[in-house]
Amino acid sequence: MTPNFLPLSPLELGSAEQASRASEFFELMNRRRTVREYSDRDVPIELIEKAVATAGTAPSGANMQPWRFVVVRDAEVKRKIREAAEKEEHESYNSRMSEKWLRRLAPLGTDERKPFLEIAPYLIVVFRITSVEENGETEPTYYSQESVGIAVGLLLAALHNMGLATLTHTPSPMKFLQEILGRPRNEVPFVLVPVGYPAEDASVPDIKRKLLDEISEIV
Ligand code: IYR
């Protein structure tokens, strides 16, 4: 097959504008925090849709776009998800997680209770599509972990840019999400993202990001 190419229309920026946009974007993203205390204040669905559309601009292996975003706003579905997540988390905190792991989590103040799963107005459940069917044949998707990870990064950035709070929540195991949301076997839960406004008295752990020279090296 001959590939079809179109001209690229790149952003063309002067160097002063590049520098100011670079700093502004860093300042914006550096204010993102993982939020575990939510207000029940509603969020317009259009904002959620725009964030999901932004996530869908991510690059993906062989352009297979191996993601599905299930937006949950129904109170009864949220209740079921909370109930199932708390059941798994009870097992995790009480027997599945190692001492070392629990020690790592201590500064974050997490525990098995997940009220945000019912309080946040939306839960975006991200599924990773592991295979596709074409002409009666099954084909795997390629680099789907990497692809979906990048898409979730864009999702979090888009929501943060709208002034909305998020949490990258990974109740483990997450199979119950496939069942509650009726997804097929080739859609595997990847992460659950509660979205909303933070509670008025929300607080976040006093933890620090690594410095630039700790995370990078120029050779
Ligand atoms: N899934 C559990 C535990 C947990 C694990 C990690 I790694 C975190 O960074 C935070 C929590 C929970 O959500 O409580």
Side-chain angles (χ1 to χ4, degrees), residues 32-43 78 114-124 156 159 163-169 192-204:
R32 187 200 57 78
R33 292 298 309 256
T34 288
V35 172
R36 291 189 167 80
E37 294 162 325
Y38 286 82
S39 153
D40 62 2
R41 181 179 156 199
D42 201 14
V43 170
K78 287 198 287 177
K114 306 296 172 194
F116 50 76
L117 292 174
E118 281 190 275
I119 298 170
Y122 289 100
L123 307 176
I124 305 180
L156 301 181
L159 292 163
L164 294 170
T166 58
L167 162 62
T168 30
H169 181 42
L192 192 169
V193 183
V195 183
Y197 293 97
E200 265 177 43
D201 59 352
S203 61
V204 289

Side-chain angles (χ1 to χ4, degrees), residues 86-97 99 102 112:
E86 287 184 335
K87 206 166 135 205
E88 294 296 355
E89 295 289 65
H90 177 80
E91 284 307 306
S92 295
Y93 278 90
N94 291 288
S95 54
R96 292 199 282 238
M97 294 194 290
E99 284 299 313
L102 289 169
E112 65 192 66

